[in-house]
Amino acid sequence: MAAQTTEKSENPSTPMRDPIQVRRLPVQLHGDDRRVIARPFILGTQRIRTLFSRLAKLSEEQVHTLLKQVEASYHNRHGHLLKLFAEHYHGGAAMIAFSNGWTNERKLLAGAYLTMEYAVDSAALFNPSIVPHPKQENIAPGALRILMSLRATGEGHVSSIVFRTGSISAAGDMELDPQPQHLHRSRLSPDRQYIKWLFLRKLKEMGLAVATAESVLSGVPEKFELGALVSAVDAARPKYAGNIEAAEVLRTMLWLASSNYHVDLAPNTDLGDLVIFPMNDEESHGIEDLRMVRFVDDDKSVTYFGTYTAYNGVRTLPMLMSTSDFRRIEFASLNGNAALNKGMALFPRKIKGRYVMCSRIDGENLFISTSEAVHFWNTAQRLAAPRLPWELMQIGNCGSPIETDKGWLLLTHGVGPMRTYVIGAMLLDLEDPLKVIGHLEQPLLAPLDSEREGYVPNVVYTCGSLAHAGKLYIPYAQADKSTSISVVDLNELLDRLAA
């Protein structure tokens, strides 16, 4: 079938069929300057010392008055404002080993100076993915609760992940829940633990000298916390002084630990309140393009996975989010020779006992990888190369494939003239996804004139779609700025791909 499709598309005498009908829903998501989080505003140890020195000179009356003014101005914008101030004060004080008999009000005021507001999606709200909501209780017959992730961009073009919840009615209409009044920035849970053998395996996959790492960890328990690792690395530094290779191992051990963490959603916090903001140096310039999937394992257990890219301004790091309920969310690096570049998308179940991933490891072609372990990807085979006019520059996936009776439905993105991004579709064999059953000859979704203008012109893009009640729902970004929703008749699309 794949060869026949190629011949048809490349034969100029073959008449082009009418495009698949796409219906755009009256749903528009735009960045909102009013959606802010409170994050640390710490500019280095010397600045903290200078600030604390100045604060020490204020009278208690001045401290009280200033703190009450800040509370009055900001308490409606943030929940638990004083708790945030206390957290940021203690973080700054720890950096300079500050110890003083300050009153609680003076500490909270110092925390206010070490706090800044960040408008998470003031610049853009784009590159969405969508999955069924983990809770489907008390919904109307034929309806479905949904969870959508979006890439939010604010000052400095730093990207974070935000969520919207809503529902699809039995009639096929989509309605999103109201936006929350307060956003909650995710925070690292303090009880991060690592398993020694798994930690060493990851270092080995990265091509490092495991013997050095084993020596460093020799006195560390089989399950250890970040503090124990930091102590072990610090103790090993004199032994390896002047050894460049060993120094790289020590640096990478700390980097790997900081890149693997979990966050807990605060009680009584809705998913729509959550902002996953960069947590470490590897994510310092953004968390990009989360591709969510509802994964059902062989034992029927359900895990929500999400692949994304961490970016530090120089290099990208493929990452994996996992959770069963979105109350505790785990984050871990993806490792191996095939865990490269951007756009890794996990299939929603195993095939022949192995995890399967679609990716674009060379930045140009589509690949299929399989693995026994979800965090390790070492081999990849090419699935498809650019061949149609609208994808000749590069081809990639638009999120995880969707299982249908006729095969795996894989939405793709193609890049054509003038760096125009469009969305296409492929159909893959259920038992062997390297077999292409069909490939749309024309884009499924291309930017309308009204969708071309934005931060990156001429782009429509999605990180995941959802099939429900015979329809395919495609949330898509417009010009890397805003987000809309389109709907396609699923059977019409499958019939076209399987023809």
Side-chain angles (χ1 to χ4, degrees):
M1 294 296 294
Q4 293 172 1
T5 301
T6 301
E7 289 171 6
K8 287 181 180 179
S9 65
E10 293 180 351
N11 186 344
S13 65
T14 302
M16 298 293 286
R17 288 180 286 183
D18 292 336
I20 301 290
Q21 293 300 306
V22 176
R23 178 166 64 96
R24 285 165 164 83
L25 298 182
V27 178
Q28 290 284 331
L29 298 173
H30 298 275
D32 188 343
D33 297 343
R34 298 167 297 178
R35 287 166 50 85
V36 295
I37 58 173
R39 55 176 293 208
F41 179 53
I42 296 177
L43 299 177
T45 56
Q46 186 55 50
R47 294 284 291 274
I48 296 173
R49 291 189 183 95
T50 302
L51 170 67
F52 283 14
S53 175
R54 291 167 179 162
L55 288 172
K57 297 175 183 178
L58 297 179
S59 68
E60 293 300 332
E61 183 179 355
Q62 287 176 305
V63 168
H64 177 79
T65 301
L66 280 169
L67 183 60
K68 290 303 179 183
Q69 288 174 350
V70 175
E71 283 188 81
S73 295
Y74 291 93
H75 79 279
N76 286 329
R77 297 165 68 90
H78 304 281
H80 310 292
L81 184 66
L82 295 184
K83 183 179 179 180
L84 289 169
F85 290 168
E87 175 187 325
H88 297 166
Y89 161 76
H90 288 295
M95 288 180 63
I96 62 172
F98 180 77
S99 178
N100 200 302
W102 279 7
T103 63
N104 189 54
E105 281 196 335
R106 196 176 295 267
K107 292 177 181 178
L108 292 175
L109 182 60
Y113 280 96
L114 296 177
T115 301
M116 63 176 285
E117 284 192 329
Y118 186 86
V120 294
D121 54 23
S122 58
L125 189 63
F126 62 120
N127 290 5
S129 70
I130 185 172
V131 292
H133 196 286
K135 292 187 177 181
Q136 296 291 331
E137 298 87 355
N138 303 318
I139 59 172
L144 180 74
R145 289 283 294 160
I146 57 102
L147 173 66
M148 189 187 307
S149 68
L150 299 112
R151 178 177 169 185
T153 301
E155 177 188 352
H157 204 75
V158 176
S159 296
S160 55
I161 301 298
V162 298
F163 298 90
R164 293 293 303 272
T165 57
S167 60
I168 299 173
S169 70
D173 298 318
M174 181 181 291
E175 183 176 356
L176 297 181
D177 297 331
Q179 290 193 128
Q181 181 180 4
H182 296 136
L183 294 175
H184 295 269
R185 177 174 59 89
S186 56
R187 288 169 174 78
L188 293 176
S189 294
D191 58 342
R192 285 184 287 168
Q193 283 197 330
Y194 308 91
I195 300 172
K196 186 188 294 188
W197 71 266
L198 183 58
F199 195 80
L200 290 169
R201 176 176 170 177
K202 290 183 178 181
L203 291 171
K204 183 178 180 180
E205 292 283 349
M206 297 169 70
L208 295 176
V210 177
T212 301
E214 288 176 339
S215 176
V216 173
L217 295 176
S218 60
V220 173
E222 286 303 310
K223 289 185 177 181
F224 60 92
E225 295 184 356
L226 181 60
L229 175 63
V230 172
S231 297
V233 169
D234 286 344
R237 291 191 190 280
K239 176 181 177 181
Y240 296 108
N243 186 326
I244 297 177
E245 182 181 18
E248 179 63 15
V249 173
L250 299 182
R251 186 200 66 80
T252 304
M253 291 174 72
L254 294 176
W255 164 80
L256 181 61
S258 67
S259 298
N260 292 260
Y261 57 88
H262 70 262
V263 300
D264 293 314
L265 193 61
N268 303 318
T269 301
D270 186 79
L271 271 175
D273 302 349
L274 178 63
V275 177
I276 300 178
F277 200 78
M279 296 283 186
N280 52 54
D281 289 342
E282 286 303 312
E283 300 173 347
S284 59
H285 280 62
I287 300 172
E288 301 181 354
D289 300 348
L290 180 68
R291 285 162 160 80
M292 291 195 299
V293 62
R294 183 180 184 272
F295 183 91
V296 181
D297 212 334
D298 293 340
D299 62 1
K300 306 304 180 184
S301 63
V302 174
T303 302
Y304 288 85
F305 286 114
T307 51
Y308 68 94
T309 303
Y311 180 52
N312 69 358
V314 178
R315 63 182 178 187
T316 59
L317 176 68
M319 296 287 292
L320 182 72
M321 178 197 83
S322 61
T323 181
S324 60
D325 56 6
F326 284 92
R327 307 311 297 182
R328 166 163 287 199
I329 307 175
E330 305 279 347
F331 298 85
S333 55
L334 288 169
N335 308 283
N337 298 327
L340 302 171
N341 212 281
K342 298 182 177 182
M344 301 184 72
L346 191 67
F347 279 58
R349 66 168 173 85
K350 294 178 182 176
I351 300 177
K352 299 178 181 178
R354 295 176 67 87
Y355 294 97
V356 184
M357 188 86 79
C358 183
S359 61
R360 195 189 66 213
I361 63 176
D362 65 354
E364 183 179 353
N365 303 284
L366 273 175
F367 291 80
I368 295 291
S369 302
T370 66
S371 176
E372 294 181 352
V374 73
H375 295 99
F376 299 92
W377 302 87
N378 286 310
T379 59
Q381 292 179 266
R382 194 171 75 171
L383 170 67
R387 63 178 180 82
L388 297 168
W390 44 271
E391 62 181 19
L392 287 183
M393 183 61 70
Q394 69 184 48
I395 185 173
N397 71 68
C398 275
S400 296
I402 294 173
E403 185 170 10
T404 74
D405 291 341
K406 295 185 177 180
W408 294 107
L409 174 60
L410 176 68
L411 294 191
T412 64
H413 68 262
V415 181
M418 298 297 293
R419 200 197 178 198
T420 298
Y421 275 68
V422 298
I423 296 173
M426 300 174 67
L427 191 64
L428 313 179
D429 185 83
L430 286 177
E431 294 303 313
D432 183 3
L434 282 167
K435 293 181 179 179
V436 179
I437 297 172
H439 188 164
L440 282 188
E441 300 171 8
Q442 302 176 65
L444 178 63
L445 194 65
L448 301 175
D449 286 345
S450 60
E451 298 171 336
R452 293 179 59 183
E453 313 303 338
Y455 184 76
V456 182
N458 309 311
V459 172
V460 291
Y461 192 86
T462 183
C463 290
S465 53
L466 173 70
H468 176 64
K471 295 181 176 63
L472 180 68
Y473 292 83
I474 310 172
Y476 67 98
Q478 305 167 0
D480 278 14
K481 185 174 179 65
S482 59
T483 295
S484 189
I485 314 289
S486 62
V487 183
V488 174
D489 183 278
L490 185 59
N491 288 328
E492 180 185 3
L493 176 59
L494 293 175
D495 287 345
R496 179 70 60 87
L497 287 166

